[in-house]
Structures are given as C-alpha cells and as structure tokens.
Amino acid sequence: MSLKTALSRIRSIPELQKRYNIFINIDPSAEKRLVDNADKELPLSHLVAGIKDNIVTKDLPTTCASKILETYQSPYDATCVRRLREAGVVIAGKTNLDEFGMGSGGIHSHFGPVLNPLYPSTKITAGGSSSGSAAAVAAGAVDFALGTDTGGSVRLPAAFNAVLGFKPSYGRISRYGVVAYAQSLDTVGILSKGMPVLRKVYNVLNEYDSKDPTSLSNDLRKKANKLFKEKGKLRIGIPQEFLQASISADYKNLFFRFIKELMDMGHEFYPVTIPSVKDSLPIYYTLSPAEAVSNLSRYDGIRYGTRADTTDIENGTLFAPTRANFGREVQDRIILGNYNLCSETFKNNYVKAQKLRVGLMNDFDEIFRGPNIISNSKGNVSGVDLIISLTATGPPSTIESFTSAENSSPTNEYLNDVFTMPMSLAGLPTLSIPLGNDVPLGVQVTAQFADDETVLNFADRIV
Ligand code: GLN
C-alpha cells in the first residue's frame, strides 16, 4: 500500500462524511500520523482504518452511537486497536453504528443514519450495525475497518455495501476494550475490499489475549492449526433451510450461478440440513437482550457518560432520568431482556433458549467433516468442509421504507439477520463475499469452529 493512496483516502473523508455520515468522530491528526510514520516498515504500514465506535480508543471518544456516552473518553485502547497501531495502522476515525450494536439498518444512531455509498443519489440503508465501517470501506475512505458481529453486524452491512466482511470464530480476536452487547456472541470482525488486506489484518489480530477471559487459548489455537490443514477441493454443503421461498428469483439465480462456477473449479456440493436453524431467531432474541440488559446496567451516569443533572430518581425509579438517554431500540431490548430473565419467564424462555442453542451447535457439528475442538464432537466422515448461503434475504431498502417498516413491527428489522444469526450462536468463522462489483448482495461461507483458515483459503482463490 502506498503512502500516496493512504493520503488520498484521508483527504477524501470530509466530503464522504458529508454525503454518507460514515463517522462519529474523525481524527484531525490522522494525516500527520501517517506522514510521521511514513518511513517505518511495519506489517500494516500505510494502511488507513476505521474503527467501529463501540471499540475503545484513548485518543478519540467512544460513543456507541448513544446519547448516554456522547462524551465518553476511554483511558486506554482496546487490545485490537493497540495491536493495529503497533503494526503501523493509522486510524482515520470512529465509525457510525446502530446504538450499542443493536440493529441491522444503521438507523438507530444518535448521530443520524449512515447512507449506503453504492447509491450516491438515493437514501439507501448501509445495513447494520457496523454500518459506518462497511460504508467507509465501500466509499474508499479507509483500507479496512473493524466492526463487531453479535448476530450478523459485520456480514450484513458487508453484503449491502459489496465488500468483504469476516467474522472469525468466537474468541479468536480479543474483546478487551470492545463495549459488550451480548458477550457470549460478540466478535470483532474485519471489513475490506480485498483478501490480501483482510488476511494481513487478521494475522495481526488473531492472538491470545490474557485480558479477555473468552479469548481462545494458545493450546486450542495450536490444536486447531494441527487439525485444519490446507485442503484442495472442498466438500461444500448448501443448507436447505436457507433457500427460502421468499428469496427473489434474481437472487437465487445469481447464487446458483456462483455455485456453478465453484463446481467448475472442482468443488463438490451436497444439500445439507440444519433443522435447528428455524429456532435461531427466537434463541437470539431471547439470549442477546438478556445479556445486553446486564451489560447496559453499568450506564447509570456515575461511572460512564452523561448523568441527568436534576435528579437520579423519577417516580421512584433509580437512574430513570439518566437512562432516558438510551434510544428507543435499546430501551425495547432492555424491556425484552428483563422480561426473559424475570422469575416467571426465566425457565421457559432463557433456559429453554440456552438448551436450543446447544441443539443448534450439535446440528452444525453433525454436518461438518472436521471435529469441534470445544464440544469435542469427532466430526462426520462424510460431512462437509464449508457451508454456503446468501448473506441476506433481499437487497437493502430505502431509509424511508426501513423506518416505516420498523415502526409497524420491530420483528421486520429482526428478520434481516435470519441467515447470519445461526453462525453467531454457534461461534463459527464466516465470511460474506460480494457476488459482484457494486452489487449489494453477498454469499456467506462458513466452516467448523476454529477452522478460520478454510474460509480464508477458499476466499483467497475466488475473490
Ligand atoms: N441485528 C442484530 C441485533 O440487532 C445483530 C446485531 C449485531 O450483530 N451487533 O441484535
């Protein structure tokens, strides 16, 4: 990557920001940092990055796109940010998102919606919640961006902006300094236009971190390296549950044309079924708000962010005036999470969802050839190495229709992630690959837990 390209990316940002509302905070010293570091030869020298604004940075505020954290400034860098800086990356700014990562349209931000750069003259959503990260890459403002993916938030916007979006296996990239939404699902992901950059960034971030209790241990990393060797021709499964009738004929045709190209390369295809996929949406929307509710309880205005200046109690409720600063979607999730955790519903909702989640993980284990190093399933000798599906059920909509559909029913928005949530619930490595230049459509390629290499090697050959 050349210094010249990096400079032109940074200089393009003010104009792109005006058009697409990509960033929440832009670093005014990015150009100087780039020039000061110009002669250093580091693995990621001359690469410009955008960092989703729920990942903490010590030189720029971290708002999570929320009014409640509008002025919050972290005293430290997240591990992933520190590693990027040490490898020579210059951070251009913090990218816009759905508040606390909750959403799939990039519209639930205190700082206004992100617009999709593939459509310069119409207001189309960029997907969410890593909307700004995907738009930053698509618009050419950065070489790559970090996002977070809890149920699809890297892959969906990647597909809608026609860029690559990689969600590694749960635990591969440190979550230390990533503001928790639902910690059993949260994963840091990478968005870029090409595989070489994505690979290099992943190599820098794919390290054990003792500060993250869920970081994959060095022993398990070694075990995975030994088990999952480079494979030539692959056995690829097409999960039947993802071929829904609601997908348009155009989308299906593009998908099957892609499969045909892969067959011509010698890969073998098999229909597979993952029956528990049908449970993914209810499992996700039972567990993720329950985890979110406990994570969001720290925002009382005392330790972080803004505190109501009049009183801490309203109608007998502690912190109500401060917490009124949460946006509508976040407030809805708090109600949902508390409901799922309250004594009357806990067993029937939360515990049941946990059981169903294990069922889904087992279903995945049954179709993969490789073993699962966490569940210790042995692998299915006649199973597949990868599964492939579309990333989204349809194209991105206009901001206007997205907002009105959402008003009539929040489940319409929740349905955007039906194809991405199952992989999150099972912690699997998965990459959304654009199906064409500037076409807002992606295919999602997924492998067994910890077999991130098979996903990346496969993409290296076709992107
Ligand atoms: N759209 C999903 C949600 O709102 C997923 C979000 C994410 O992956 N952060 O929870």
Side-chain angles (χ1 to χ4, degrees), residues 36-322:
D36 289 349
N37 288 333
D39 297 331
K40 292 193 188 141
E41 285 202 15
L42 293 163
L44 303 180
S45 282
H46 302 163
L47 287 186
V48 179
I51 305 290
K52 188 174 180 180
D53 204 23
N54 60 350
I55 303 179
V56 302
T57 42
K58 64 179 173 209
D59 54 357
L60 288 170
T62 299
T63 68
C64 294
S66 185
K67 186 165 168 27
I68 211 161
L69 288 179
E70 203 169 3
T71 55
Y72 174 68
Q73 175 71 56
S74 162
Y76 71 100
D77 274 338
T79 298
C80 54
V81 169
R82 176 178 57 76
R83 288 204 165 117
L84 290 180
R85 291 198 210 269
E86 286 169 1
V89 168
V90 169
I91 292 167
K94 304 294 290 290
T95 54
N96 204 348
L97 65 151
D98 286 295
E99 188 176 357
F100 285 100
M102 297 174 185
S104 54
I107 54 155
H108 302 296
S109 165
H110 175 58
F111 303 92
V114 177
L115 303 184
N116 190 323
L118 294 189
Y119 305 89
S121 50
T122 336
K123 291 188 173 173
I124 303 285
T125 86
S129 64
S130 308
S131 34
S133 292
V137 173
V142 297
D143 293 284
F144 73 94
L146 294 189
T148 57
D149 191 312
T150 303
S153 277
V154 162
R155 290 160 284 158
L156 186 71
F160 284 173
N161 289 269
V163 300
L164 293 162
F166 181 45
K167 180 198 94 67
S169 298
Y170 179 78
R172 280 247 179 230
I173 298 183
S174 169
R175 290 190 303 113
Y176 180 69
V178 177
V179 178
Y181 161 10
Q183 68 277 13
S184 77
L185 296 148
D186 294 340
T187 316
V188 175
I190 307 162
L191 299 104
S192 76
K193 274 193 181 158
M195 279 309 290
V197 168
L198 193 147
R199 269 261 186 204
K200 278 196 208 168
V201 174
Y202 175 65
N203 290 345
V204 165
L205 300 180
N206 176 26
E207 294 279 350
Y208 170 69
D209 182 14
S210 59
K211 291 184 174 140
D212 172 1
T214 57
S215 181
L216 201 61
S217 70
N218 279 325
D219 283 352
L220 285 174
R221 284 167 199 267
K222 271 190 219 139
K223 197 169 170 185
N225 286 349
K226 256 198 226 147
L227 268 172
F228 301 121
K229 293 265 180 302
E230 165 86 61
K231 310 167 183 83
K233 303 274 186 289
L234 297 171
R235 294 166 63 89
I236 303 179
I238 305 182
Q240 300 305 290
E241 292 78 8
F242 289 70
L243 295 172
Q244 294 174 357
S246 60
I247 300 171
S248 74
D250 283 2
Y251 260 44
K252 278 193 185 145
N253 287 342
L254 282 166
F255 179 62
F256 284 118
R257 202 190 302 158
F258 179 70
I259 303 280
K260 170 82 178 54
E261 283 166 24
L262 294 173
M263 278 178 170
D264 294 344
M265 289 167 72
H267 297 301
E268 289 171 15
F269 282 82
Y270 301 89
V272 293
T273 78
I274 313 167
S276 306
V277 153
K278 67 175 185 328
D279 302 327
S280 302
L281 202 79
I283 303 175
Y284 180 88
Y285 278 102
T286 305
L287 299 182
S288 70
E291 293 183 23
V293 111
S294 105
N295 289 317
L296 293 169
S297 67
R298 73 188 59 146
Y299 303 107
D300 50 17
I302 299 169
R303 288 165 293 173
Y304 307 95
T306 41
R307 182 177 189 174
D309 44 16
T310 45
T311 170
D312 277 336
I313 304 182
E314 200 174 73
N315 297 330
T317 306
L318 192 57
F319 305 129
T322 291

